[in-house]
Amino acid sequence: MAVLAAKGIIKIDLKTTASSGSSTSVFETGSLSVSSIHVDTSNIASPPKPLLIISPTVQGTYPVLLFLHGYELRNIFYSHLLRHISSHGFIVVAPQLYGLIPSSGIKEIRSAASVTNWLSTGLQSVLQEKVKPDLQKLALSGHSRGGKAAFALALGYAESSLKFSALIGLDPVAGKGKCCQTDPKILTFLPHSFNLTIPVSVIGTGLGDEQRNCIKCPCAPDGVNHVEFYSESKAPCSHFVTSDYGHMDMLDDNPPGFQGVISGYKCKNGSCPRDPMRKCVGGIFVAFLKAYLDGETADFKAIVNDPGLAPVKLDPVEFIES
């Protein structure tokens, strides 16, 4: 069962979980057909940044997920992952925060805030009329430096007019090391120090902190990666690590363009196909969001209690209840 904890956060009681025969469908494509909508800044809706929006096509009202891309990456590189999430009943908004040249960390966070502020006035106008966004159920997420930007935005480093109800960091990275954090420096290296009152999930990779070769630094170095982000999160918070995969292994296969080509050579990658990794990450997103936005906790509890349900190895899996 799910009950409301303090401040309206849904409390998940793992003691009521089903037996070892439990199962979940979140790792498979959902039942809803989805469409991809590309919205440029020249559109009449005037978004502050170009947007990739993936939305169900079936009539209904859906929670909204804001997804921030990783460092020197394109929003379209995550198409398969984001379509998986959307097919389970979510409108995903993925802004392109900068072009070929990355912006500063502060500017990146402000850009994400400006997109957040646009949602209440502009999002409905670019969706099908029968599809409605529920901005009372707005979640925030991001990958790599975009994951750090998501945490910074949730922490109030830029002003946004909407409130977030959940936060997911996908292999977040805060710099090259403890002494080399990118601005703004949000890590304190003190347990549970993030001033957040919303549920948090952190998804890490087992190979992210390993060098691809003797020349390249790790893409997700020790001390400033998923481990520290989880350590500094308050309950309720969860941590899932895809132990056999790398920092870029949730991207599409063969992403296009120069940036897409070099993305495959930046980090140490896993030796297995990416599709199971995308299904795993997408399933964790869906289970977490269903639990904390809709109160449907069965899938999340099943994964926490039996990580073997996932299509790739998850180790460790941690959960601190509220």
Side-chain angles (χ1 to χ4, degrees):
M1 64 179 294
V3 297
L4 287 179
K7 300 181 181 179
I9 295 176
I10 292 170
K11 180 177 175 60
I12 298 176
D13 184 2
L14 295 181
K15 295 177 183 178
T16 64
T17 190
S19 66
S20 58
S22 60
S23 62
T24 176
S25 62
V26 295
F27 298 118
E28 300 302 324
T29 302
S31 62
L32 300 176
S33 61
V34 302
S35 64
S36 298
I37 307 166
H38 296 268
V39 186
D40 195 65
T41 53
S42 61
N43 187 281
I44 192 172
S46 302
K49 292 292 178 179
L51 304 175
L52 168 63
I53 299 173
I54 301 181
S55 168
T57 60
V58 179
Q59 182 174 353
T61 301
Y62 301 99
V64 177
L65 172 68
L66 181 64
F67 181 88
L68 310 181
H69 62 80
Y71 184 66
E72 294 184 334
L73 298 175
R74 308 290 295 176
N75 52 7
I76 60 172
F77 295 175
Y78 302 88
S79 293
H80 284 87
L81 171 62
L82 301 184
R83 289 179 71 87
H84 181 113
I85 296 168
S86 182
S87 73
H88 285 270
F90 299 91
I91 297 169
V92 184
V93 179
Q96 185 61 46
L97 297 173
Y98 47 79
L100 287 174
I101 301 175
S103 60
S104 68
I106 296 290
K107 187 174 181 181
E108 181 179 18
I109 297 160
R110 289 174 179 167
S111 295
S114 69
V115 173
T116 305
N117 296 338
W118 171 87
L119 293 174
S120 58
T121 58
L123 179 57
Q124 180 62 73
S125 68
V126 299
L127 298 173
Q128 295 182 35
E129 186 176 352
K130 63 183 179 180
V131 175
K132 308 294 184 183
D134 185 353
L135 294 176
Q136 296 299 310
K137 296 179 179 180
L138 175 62
L140 176 60
S141 64
H143 169 233
S144 191
R145 196 177 85 167
K148 177 264 181 82
F151 271 83
L153 180 56
L155 286 164
Y157 281 84
E159 187 173 347
S160 59
S161 58
L162 296 174
K163 292 186 179 298
F164 298 105
S165 298
L167 172 63
I168 304 175
L170 177 52
D171 220 17
V173 180
K176 294 182 178 179
K178 286 188 175 182
C179 298
C180 303
Q181 283 195 69
T182 54
D183 289 327
K185 298 177 176 61
I186 68 171
L187 296 181
T188 65
F189 308 106
L190 298 172
H192 315 303
S193 57
F194 283 147
N195 186 24
L196 294 171
T197 58
I198 58 176
V200 174
S201 189
V202 180
I203 304 171
T205 60
L207 304 182
D209 60 0
E210 297 186 16
Q211 292 179 270
R212 179 178 175 85
N213 52 49
C214 60
I215 299 174
K216 291 287 294 179
C217 295
C219 286
D222 283 334
V224 290
N225 64 13
H226 61 96
V227 176
E228 187 59 31
F229 277 85
Y230 174 66
S231 173
E232 298 192 23
S233 297
K234 290 186 172 76
C237 56
S238 54
H239 186 210
F240 304 86
V241 181
T242 57
S243 54
D244 298 328
Y245 283 85
H247 189 63
M248 298 290 192
D249 282 333
M250 71 294 294
L251 302 183
D252 293 350
D253 296 337
N254 305 311
F258 175 73
Q259 288 170 296
V261 172
I262 64 173
S263 71
Y265 296 92
K266 287 182 176 181
C267 312
K268 183 167 183 178
N269 301 317
S271 58
C272 299
R274 285 183 172 182
D275 187 55
M277 170 65 164
R278 289 190 295 263
K279 288 181 177 180
C280 180
V281 171
I284 294 171
F285 265 71
V286 170
F288 176 77
L289 294 175
K290 285 173 65 178
Y292 286 106
L293 298 184
D294 294 329
E296 299 175 11
T297 62
D299 294 307
F300 185 76
K301 290 194 294 184
I303 298 167
V304 170
N305 283 283
D306 185 5
L309 293 171
V312 306
K313 181 180 178 182
L314 291 175
D315 185 25
V317 170
E318 302 171 276
F319 175 53
I320 303 175
E321 300 180 59
S322 56

